[in-house]
Amino acid sequence: MSPRIVVIGVGNPLRGDDGAGPAVVEALRGRVPDGTVLTVSDGEPARLLDLWCDADTVIIVEALCSRPGRPGELHTLTPAEAAGHARATASTHALGLGECLALAETLDRMPPRLVVHAVEAADLGLGEHLSDPVRSALPELTERVAVSVRQAYERHPGP
């Protein structure tokens, strides 16, 4: 049986750099193995839990805000790191990833493997634009996610 690998681009493309996650998902089309689930979400925790239901590996891609900010800086986080990072930073959404992970733990709905790839945002204003630092970081962010997908398939070879 083939593994279920889910890549979720979290964000809103109409809010500047918050569109980084969805942009990476779009850039991955044709670059990852067939059967990889590529989807986007607004970050609402219940929807995220539904999207990763029955997944062997979940890869989340999103923008984050930190204080002080370093726009364009990339982060790769385990669930524990993401939860800890969430205390010092904020998702660009009403409820952050930390709250979503806590809910998943409480409901026993954490996937066996979850990794978060994030880019620090510079501009979350209205409009379909990415700031220069985030746009410049997208190729490397996309490659990091593609590598995570390949590694997930290597860990769970199909039939």
Side-chain angles (χ1 to χ4, degrees), residues 46-155:
R47 282 191 283 277
L48 283 173
L49 296 182
D50 285 343
L51 289 172
W52 75 45
C53 184
D54 298 324
D56 297 294
T57 299
V58 174
I59 302 162
I60 295 177
V61 190
E62 75 166 346
L64 60 81
C65 301
S66 65
R67 309 276 185 262
R70 294 175 303 277
E73 185 169 319
L74 301 178
H75 301 273
T76 300
L77 309 167
T78 65
E81 291 168 333
H85 205 302
R87 289 186 204 105
T89 64
S91 167
T92 57
H93 321 290
L95 291 176
L97 185 57
E99 290 88 356
C100 181
L101 296 174
L103 179 62
E105 283 286 340
T106 300
L107 298 175
D108 195 26
R109 296 199 43 204
M110 281 294 289
R113 177 155 167 73
L114 183 139
V115 64
V116 177
H117 291 286
V119 61
E120 291 194 33
D123 179 8
L124 301 174
L126 293 177
E128 294 183 55
H129 63 280
L130 296 173
S131 67
D132 288 339
V134 170
R135 187 179 316 101
S136 295
L138 277 186
E140 175 62 24
L141 181 59
T142 302
E143 181 57 26
R144 287 185 183 196
V145 175
V147 167
S148 289
V149 169
R150 287 192 298 272
Q151 289 172 341
Y153 280 103
E154 290 167 5
R155 270 190 298 282

Side-chain angles (χ1 to χ4, degrees), residues 7-11 21-23 25-26 29 38-43 48 51:
V7 179
I8 305 171
V10 177
V25 166
E26 191 57 37
R29 296 191 191 285
L38 298 174
T39 188
V40 297
S41 172
D42 62 3
L48 283 173
L51 289 172

